[in-house]
Amino acid sequence: MSEHSTPSKQVLVVGGGYAGALAANRLRMRPDVDITLINPRPTFIDRVRLHQYVAGTGGVEVDFGTLLAEQVRLVVDRAARIDTATRTVELASGSTVDYDYLVYAVGSTGGAAAVPGAAEFAYSPAEFEEAHRLRAGLDELPLDSPVTVVGGGLTGIEAAAELAERGRRVTLICGTEPAPTFSTCARRSIVEWLSRHGVDVLEHATVAEVEPDAVVLADGVRRPSAVTIWATGFGVPDLARASGLRTDALGRLLTDETLTSLDDERIVAAGDAAAPSGHPLRMSSYAAGPLGAQAVDTVLSRLAGTTPAPLSVAFSGACVSLGRRRGIRQLAGKDDVAMNVYIGGRAGAAIKELTCKLGVAKIRREARKPGSLVWPKGGTRPEAPAAPARGVPSS
């Protein structure tokens, strides 16, 4: 290398999910960037299919070699702490990795269960390791053993539907009504499908305790449950908080509208663990792609000495699968508020399957053609607050 050559910039991506893997590939838009991706697993997990994996109807592991461009260096390890003073990331193995810029894309986890017994006796379908344990546990049970799914969101509905279609005896317990963000007509269709397939749907019910072989409701009723699946929400890894960076109450990294950390302009967030202006987008593979691309565009703008563009993502709706042959595509406005229109049946299932395939396909396309991802823009965002002084995290 010539003595006058400009040294490469080291960009580190922490997290190899939908946002992080896409970001790593997109960073190749600039040739003088050395890209390292840190991920705790050696394979990519296609999380939108975890309910299929649990039921034994689909796989979720994808070889990173088929997803990442050759220029992306994969480090299989867990990031334990970000040291902003030295611009290094400490790994669980004890080694460190330097960076000039860091894309924070650690994703989400299963939500913390505050109900007594839930952490000990219930399974979360939100992460691969727990899903693997759940699948193994189900394989040991007769089909007529009672299975309880706690949580009426899309994760809980998909898990209940997948298991019911496989002949399992399932109860779905919902704190409110199933799919509360969907329109009334779509919710009615979901409940009808579940009922036809033998799912006992308990609406406006609360679980007070989970036992090894039962769940106890708030009204004192004890319902037998050979396996209990906890699907009441999501959390995020505590890396940002452990590193002294400001977060929201859930632990998502607080950023401005360019996804830049409020504490350090060298750290840019993407995916489920980002909280721009304290108003995060809905956790989803749909939002992960644009957020990963936006984070990269912000980094590349800073490297070029230009002003990064503010975040702009428009939603169009959401999908939920009802087993392998039926589904619901709920249409929504750009602000992600459901319209009173949905597509159901086999057409809904086809749209859901296409949506699942696109999550991985977008990553592969960025590997072939960095910068290729485009997404609908113009969704309403809250007015961004004035940016505070950077570099001094609050207590």
Side-chain angles (χ1 to χ4, degrees):
M1 181 170 58
S2 167
E3 62 178 345
H4 300 295
S5 299
T6 302
S8 297
K9 296 297 183 181
Q10 308 294 323
V11 180
L12 181 60
V13 181
V14 181
Y18 298 107
L22 187 142
N25 284 334
R26 190 179 182 90
L27 280 163
R28 293 165 47 248
M29 291 171 64
R30 179 162 171 150
D32 63 341
V33 170
D34 286 341
I35 310 157
T36 300
L37 174 64
I38 296 176
N39 194 63
R41 304 181 185 92
T43 56
F44 176 88
I45 302 301
D46 196 6
R47 290 182 66 194
V48 295
R49 298 188 185 276
L50 278 172
H51 61 288
Q52 294 177 241
Y53 178 79
V54 165
T57 59
V60 294
E61 292 186 274
V62 182
D63 186 351
F64 270 120
T66 71
L67 291 181
L68 300 177
E70 291 183 1
Q71 296 89 334
V72 178
R73 181 170 71 105
L74 175 66
V75 174
V76 180
D77 209 329
R78 182 180 62 83
R81 180 176 175 272
I82 302 168
D83 188 332
T84 58
T86 61
R87 292 184 198 155
T88 58
V89 171
E90 300 169 7
L91 304 180
S93 63
S95 59
T96 60
V97 182
D98 299 331
Y99 68 86
D100 291 303
Y101 282 90
L102 184 147
V103 177
Y104 186 84
V106 297
S108 56
T109 64
V115 172
E120 295 84 359
F121 305 123
Y123 298 87
S124 168
E127 297 182 74
F128 176 69
E129 289 77 13
E130 275 287 285
H132 184 73
R133 289 180 54 240
L134 172 55
R135 177 171 172 167
L138 287 168
D139 286 345
E140 296 176 356
L141 294 177
L143 276 179
D144 61 352
S145 299
V147 176
T148 303
V149 179
V150 183
L154 304 189
T155 300
I157 290 169
E158 290 189 329
E162 205 77 26
L163 293 171
E165 192 176 68
R166 298 283 285 174
R168 293 283 177 187
R169 184 156 64 95
V170 181
T171 297
L172 177 63
I173 299 178
C174 311
T176 55
E177 64 273 346
T181 60
F182 277 27
S183 62
T184 300
C185 55
R187 290 200 303 270
R188 185 181 303 116
S189 180
I190 291 169
V191 172
E192 288 174 355
W193 188 96
L194 293 171
S195 297
R196 286 199 309 272
H197 287 77
V199 178
D200 187 7
V201 180
L202 304 184
E203 299 187 23
H204 301 282
T206 302
V207 175
E209 184 177 358
V210 178
E211 299 177 349
D213 57 354
V215 294
V216 181
L217 303 183
D219 59 7
V221 174
R222 184 177 182 274
R223 298 179 64 96
S225 180
V227 167
T228 301
I229 301 172
W230 201 262
T232 60
F234 295 94
V236 296
D238 66 352
L239 177 61
R241 188 176 289 147
S243 303
L245 299 168
R246 276 176 283 185
T247 68
D248 68 2
L250 193 64
R252 288 171 290 216
L253 183 67
L254 286 175
T255 75
D256 62 17
E257 285 295 293
T258 71
L259 298 178
T260 303
S261 166
L262 297 184
D263 299 314
D264 192 327
E265 67 177 13
R266 299 284 183 142
I267 298 177
V268 182
D272 291 349
S277 302
H279 295 276
L281 278 67
R282 169 167 53 89
M283 290 184 176
S284 62
S285 62
Y286 172 85
L291 285 168
Q294 176 79 46
V296 168
D297 294 350
T298 292
V299 170
L300 297 183
S301 290
R302 295 199 185 282
L303 286 173
T306 59
T307 302
L311 175 66
S312 181
V313 179
F315 285 85
S316 61
C319 297
V320 63
S321 63
L322 299 172
R324 293 295 83 220
R325 295 181 292 275
R326 294 291 186 272
I328 297 287
R329 165 61 172 172
Q330 173 65 63
L331 302 184
K334 291 182 178 182
D335 58 359
D336 207 23
V337 175
M339 302 175 181
N340 199 31
V341 181
Y342 76 94
I343 301 169
R346 291 186 180 274
I351 295 172
K352 166 66 175 181
E353 178 61 23
L354 175 61
T355 301
C356 290
K357 289 180 177 179
L358 283 175
V360 172
K362 291 173 184 176
I363 299 170
R364 288 196 170 117
R365 181 170 171 79
E366 284 289 330
R368 297 191 304 269
K369 186 179 179 182
S372 60
L373 182 68
V374 295
W375 62 93
K377 300 181 180 181
T380 302
R381 291 285 303 156
E383 185 176 350
R390 298 186 185 279
V392 184
S394 61
S395 58

